[in-house]
Amino acid sequence: MDFPSLHGIEDAIGNIRPHMPPTPFVRSEIFSHAFGGDVWLKNETTTPIASFKLRGALNAILRAQARGALKGVTTSSTGNHGQAVAYAARLAGVAADIFLPAVANPVKAAMIEAFGGRLHKIGHDVDAAKDASRAFGGEHGYLFIDDGNDLDVMEGAGTLGLEIARDLARLDAVIVPVGGANLISGVATAVKAIHKSARVIGVQAKGAPSLYESFRARRYVERPSDTLADGLAQRVPPKLALEVMIKLADDMLLATDDELLSGVRTMAESAHVLVELAGAAALAGAWQRRAEFRGKTIVMILSGANITMDLLKRALDRDPI
């Protein structure tokens, strides 16, 4: 199984750049003061789908088209990856069938349809939806885009890390939300190729700890998923993403739903950025390790902003971190 590479990520950034400019990357004065260090925010909420997932989907579909005729694409998702595939497929002029769990984030589901994706809701979680999507692709001759086991998707996600690594002369740590681990694997590949001593630390929801426990055990561990943070929900660790994460990531942390909700409130109040619960994971995790980051240059990745109004109200009613 091929691993992502800096060369592949550099190629991916050339693929996506005509369709997606670099996302904002700013130093936060308030967070720098709070951490006693130099804190930067990589804001992926400004993409057309309000998530970093567009990077991987664009790269995968554009590379597939370059290899030959593409009839259509299908994927499974909790929402953001599905939006990304629907958007990228529309841009490429091919059909997209997106499989979500039966109970899915309504904001993300509505956006998938707005981008022209045909929506299928099936199964109790994203891994059950993945089985249905893979079967559909085989039946209809569609390319199945696997979020977690697709090198093209992972190298597309890695373009985020490349933008960070190129923009900073000094980099001590990058804090990354972890759902299926595509992002942390791609980011770690790019960052460590340029800043060899930088630490890459992942944060997963405590209610969905499969990647956290797999990283700790250095082997595949499946766990139930029960979290409000749909972007961090993963029952079955993807093989490729897990192998890359074990090889390159430095640490993994867990955040409770309460911490993530407080992170949403804090990010809105202190950085004036709206994030979903997964988008607040880097802040929730970094705050747990704040003593380690004093005097350091760290980057928190704000992975997405597709939050429901009910969860936003709950977050705003909480105390900030």
Side-chain angles (χ1 to χ4, degrees), residues 8-298:
I9 293 170
E10 289 171 336
D11 175 78
I13 212 165
N15 286 336
I16 71 171
R17 189 55 73 234
H19 312 287
M20 178 184 168
T23 52
F25 187 43
V26 297
R27 182 182 185 275
S28 169
E29 193 67 39
I30 290 178
F31 286 132
S32 294
H33 177 76
F35 279 84
D38 195 24
V39 179
W40 292 72
L41 306 178
K42 183 61 169 168
N43 186 0
E44 294 295 294
T45 73
T46 63
T47 76
I49 67 163
S51 165
F52 80 92
K53 295 282 189 178
L54 185 57
R55 296 172 180 269
L58 274 173
N59 190 52
I61 290 175
L62 292 172
R63 280 184 179 174
Q65 273 199 321
R67 290 191 290 263
L70 186 62
K71 181 180 178 182
V73 296
T74 183
T75 197
S76 58
S77 173
T78 57
N80 282 340
H81 175 66
Q83 286 190 73
V85 170
Y87 183 97
R90 185 180 70 178
L91 185 149
V94 298
D97 283 77
I98 313 298
F99 287 73
L100 269 61
V103 179
N105 180 317
V107 174
K108 298 175 182 180
M111 291 306 298
I112 287 169
E113 293 185 310
F115 292 136
R118 292 191 292 253
L119 193 62
H120 308 259
K121 293 184 179 181
I122 187 168
H124 63 285
D125 64 13
V126 68
D127 294 297
K130 179 179 286 189
D131 293 338
S133 176
R134 187 182 284 111
F136 180 91
E139 180 182 350
H140 293 273
Y142 281 18
L143 174 68
F144 173 64
I145 301 177
D146 191 341
D147 188 17
N149 286 312
D150 189 305
L151 182 66
D152 297 333
V153 174
M154 193 173 293
E155 289 185 333
T159 60
L160 191 164
L162 187 58
E163 290 174 14
I164 291 170
R166 284 177 171 175
D167 282 354
L168 289 178
R170 173 184 173 180
L171 178 57
D172 295 303
V174 183
I175 322 300
V176 189
V178 175
N182 248 334
L183 181 59
I184 191 170
S185 299
V187 165
T189 300
V191 165
K192 288 178 175 289
I194 297 172
H195 296 272
K196 299 190 184 303
S197 64
R199 290 169 55 79
V200 177
I201 300 169
V203 185
Q204 192 170 42
K206 189 174 183 179
S210 63
L211 273 297
Y212 170 87
E213 294 194 19
S214 296
F215 177 83
R216 294 288 184 206
R218 290 306 202 247
R219 62 176 175 81
Y220 176 98
V221 178
E222 182 177 328
R223 286 289 180 264
S225 174
D226 182 16
T227 176
L228 296 173
D230 55 293
L232 304 179
Q234 190 79 32
R235 172 170 54 87
V236 179
K239 187 174 187 296
L240 175 61
L242 175 60
E243 289 185 8
V244 179
M245 186 180 74
I246 288 174
K247 179 183 177 182
L248 294 180
D250 295 284
D251 204 356
M252 280 284 290
L253 307 173
L254 291 175
T256 66
D257 283 354
D258 284 344
E259 289 173 320
L260 296 171
L261 286 165
S262 290
V264 171
R265 160 73 187 271
T266 307
M267 198 58 67
E269 190 168 33
S270 298
H272 312 299
V273 179
L274 174 68
V275 294
E276 59 189 275
L277 270 70
L283 171 59
W287 192 246
Q288 294 175 17
R289 295 288 183 86
R290 58 191 178 277
E292 297 177 20
F293 296 140
R294 184 165 296 278
K296 305 293 187 181
T297 298
I298 71 168

